[in-house]
Amino acid sequence: MILAIARKEWTELLRDGRFRGAAVLVFLLATVGVAVGTQHVRSARAERAEGARLTRQHWLEQGAKNPHSAAHYGVWAFKPESSLAAFDRGVEPYLGVAVYLEAHKQNLTRHRPAADATAAARFGELTGAGVLQLLLPLLIVLLTFSAFTTERENGTLKLLLATGVRRHQLVLGKALGVGLALAVLLVPLLAVCAGLLLLAGAWDADVLGRAAVMVLGHGLYLAGFVFLGLAVSARVRSSRVALVVLLGLWTLNGLLVPRLAADAARAWAPVPEAQDFARRLAEDYERGMSGHAPADQRLAALEKETLARYGASSLEQLPVNFRGIALQAGEEYGNKVNAVRFGELEARYRAQERLHLAFSPLAPVLALRPLSASMARTDLEAHLRFMRQAEAYRQGLVKQMNDAVAFRSRYADSDYKADAELWREVPEFRVEAGTLGDALRSQAPGLLLLGFWLVWTTVLALRAGARLSAV
């Protein structure tokens, strides 16, 4: 009986010109979004690869100079672009794509795509993920709002119930019929998107696993909307009221609650302005984190300690160059400052993420978005992972330069210069990507919330169907 009801519902939907028109529009928008994303990924990869090649070339060809001056010369580190970023760009447009690595300073990423965007970008980018997360639920609303109300208004619901069909079979049959109609749209869309994404880069087991989780997350999300639409249609008396209610719920999920969550996150876990953050760092470097350990006092204590360690009475008698030791000591103190202050900044960002997730029971899209972005490696965690690895590389590079000053020259060698042999000893910057297991562990709460969303809407639809009446 469920299959018979599903077949009837599926046939009626396919014959509906409104569904065909809306499905074609969604298909075209999603395809264009993924195609544009694919082109972006390919061009971004080429640009960043060229940037990495040039920064390495400039480092190797910088000529003879003091190693600490070379540390100030620095290098650029470029964030890698994931293949799945063609489908979901996540928070990448609002974060930088490259960071300058130099002595004494841990810099923030630069070149945010959103900074160069036009005013139209405030309405959001056209991406495959955006279409599935915002527009496809609207299509589901249009498919389900009259599922039971039209039957009641036309008098066919009374005939259906008179045949002895059970109410839960009616609900599940209609849900399956809507699902089959959506499959007519989604299966070709999935095939086209997979083909486009293949152009964005090679796929391996990790990428396939991430894509599968993205399909699962979106499936739970969209199936929940199918049952929600059926529940409302079964509970209200007219198609007009059902449409108004479902459009209101769609607006809350896709527009109002996400905006409320963003405003609440900014209010409850504010992030300092870039200028204030940089000023606080500079003060900590100079005065000490406690405010009672200024740089000159730290330098005097280090000089006394170094002389005692080597049993020397003056810096000139040391078997090492105190300048390099002092430079590295200052660098290590700065690293401690960076660890604390950037750790505080990271904690603020994670607090904002938790606040967003706290609103997801009111808007399941807030659980789906971070899950999808995490699988695409375009979420905050992927950015922070890149920043941590870039900072570790910066610290290693600067230490290598300071150690060259300390142990390859003497205090009297004020004009000591290194050459390309030392520059070649510094390895190229490489980013180690996070694993699928790491992403799943971090996104387990969101995935569970999406599962709960589907269970809750299914129960709601079945309970509404149990009280279904023909009048």
Side-chain angles (χ1 to χ4, degrees), residues 184-217:
V184 174
L185 163 65
L186 293 176
V187 171
L189 179 60
L190 183 63
V192 171
C193 290
L196 290 171
L197 290 173
L198 282 174
L199 298 176
W203 284 45
D204 53 21
D206 182 77
V207 175
L208 288 173
R210 289 172 178 273
V213 175
M214 292 174 79
V215 171
L216 173 62

Side-chain angles (χ1 to χ4, degrees), residues 267-417:
W268 295 343
V271 175
E273 295 290 339
Q275 291 181 345
D276 295 336
F277 184 74
R279 184 174 60 253
R280 181 69 179 273
L281 279 177
E283 291 175 355
D284 288 339
Y285 292 150
E286 184 62 28
R287 303 177 185 176
M289 299 251 338
S290 64
H292 302 292
D296 55 349
Q297 291 184 12
R298 297 198 305 270
L299 179 62
L302 177 65
E303 180 179 337
K304 183 177 180 181
E305 177 188 342
T306 304
L307 291 173
R309 181 192 310 159
Y310 288 98
S313 57
S314 67
L315 297 179
E316 289 78 5
Q317 294 179 355
L318 288 172
V320 294
N321 191 336
F322 179 74
R323 290 190 179 91
I325 294 175
L327 288 169
Q328 183 56 28
E331 196 69 35
E332 290 176 357
Y333 188 86
N335 294 340
K336 294 179 181 178
V337 172
N338 291 336
V340 172
R341 298 307 178 201
F342 278 88
E344 293 173 350
L345 187 62
E346 182 176 330
R348 291 292 183 94
Y349 285 130
R350 295 199 182 280
Q352 289 188 350
E353 281 194 325
R354 290 193 297 271
L355 286 168
H356 275 82
L357 192 61
F359 280 86
S360 60
L362 301 176
V365 72
L366 292 176
L368 178 61
R369 282 176 180 171
L371 172 67
S372 178
S374 177
M375 294 304 112
R377 291 201 183 101
T378 56
D379 62 334
L380 177 64
E381 178 55 39
H383 178 77
L384 294 177
R385 185 182 184 89
F386 162 74
M387 289 296 294
R388 286 192 292 268
Q389 294 185 41
E391 174 60 12
Y393 179 85
R394 185 193 73 84
Q395 293 181 16
L397 182 149
V398 175
K399 185 177 188 308
Q400 202 166 346
M401 296 299 102
N402 289 337
D403 285 350
V405 175
F407 303 112
R408 299 187 186 185
S409 68
R410 299 295 293 271
Y411 189 75
D413 299 334
S414 57
D415 59 347
Y416 167 66
K417 294 181 180 180

Side-chain angles (χ1 to χ4, degrees), residues 7-236:
R7 189 180 304 112
K8 168 186 172 294
E9 194 75 16
W10 179 67
T11 303
E12 290 181 352
L13 289 174
L14 291 185
R15 290 174 178 172
D16 190 337
R18 293 170 298 179
F19 166 69
R20 294 198 299 269
V24 169
L25 179 61
V26 170
F27 180 87
L28 291 176
L29 288 174
T31 302
V32 169
V34 176
V36 171
T38 299
Q39 180 59 35
H40 165 78
V41 168
R42 297 182 68 181
S43 62
R45 280 182 168 173
E47 290 172 358
R48 296 176 198 183
E50 179 64 12
R53 186 191 68 80
L54 287 175
T55 194
R56 181 65 179 178
Q57 178 182 341
H58 293 164
W59 171 259
L60 294 176
E61 297 177 356
Q62 62 184 305
K65 63 177 61 173
N66 184 277
H68 189 69
S69 297
H72 277 286
Y73 184 75
V75 296
W76 283 92
F78 296 89
K79 185 164 58 175
E81 189 78 302
S82 165
S83 300
L84 292 175
F87 174 76
D88 189 345
R89 295 196 64 192
V91 296
E92 271 208 343
Y94 310 99
L95 303 173
V97 301
V99 59
Y100 186 54
L101 310 178
E102 59 179 327
H104 304 311
K105 294 172 62 180
Q106 180 178 351
N107 295 312
L108 297 171
T109 49
R110 304 181 191 177
H111 310 300
R112 296 182 298 114
D116 300 324
T118 62
R122 288 180 293 180
F123 297 97
E125 288 187 284
L126 178 62
T127 64
V131 172
L132 293 186
Q133 293 166 12
L134 190 61
L135 296 185
L136 198 51
L138 182 59
L139 176 59
I140 292 174
V141 166
L142 299 179
L143 292 178
T144 58
F145 81 94
S146 60
F148 291 107
T149 55
T150 298
E151 300 270 16
R152 184 185 292 112
E153 291 165 355
N154 294 338
T156 54
L157 181 59
K158 187 175 183 179
L159 296 176
L160 278 173
L161 296 177
T163 63
V165 62
R166 296 183 178 180
R167 286 168 170 78
H168 77 275
Q169 292 178 325
L170 192 57
V171 172
L172 295 177
K174 284 184 174 292
L176 181 57
V178 174
L180 290 173
L182 290 173
V184 174
L185 163 65
L186 293 176
V187 171
L189 179 60
L190 183 63
V192 171
C193 290
L196 290 171
L197 290 173
L198 282 174
L199 298 176
W203 284 45
D204 53 21
D206 182 77
V207 175
L208 288 173
R210 289 172 178 273
V213 175
M214 292 174 79
V215 171
L216 173 62
H218 284 83
L220 294 173
Y221 174 74
L222 296 174
F225 269 99
V226 171
F227 283 105
L228 179 65
L230 294 176
V232 172
S233 184
R235 287 291 294 169
V236 304

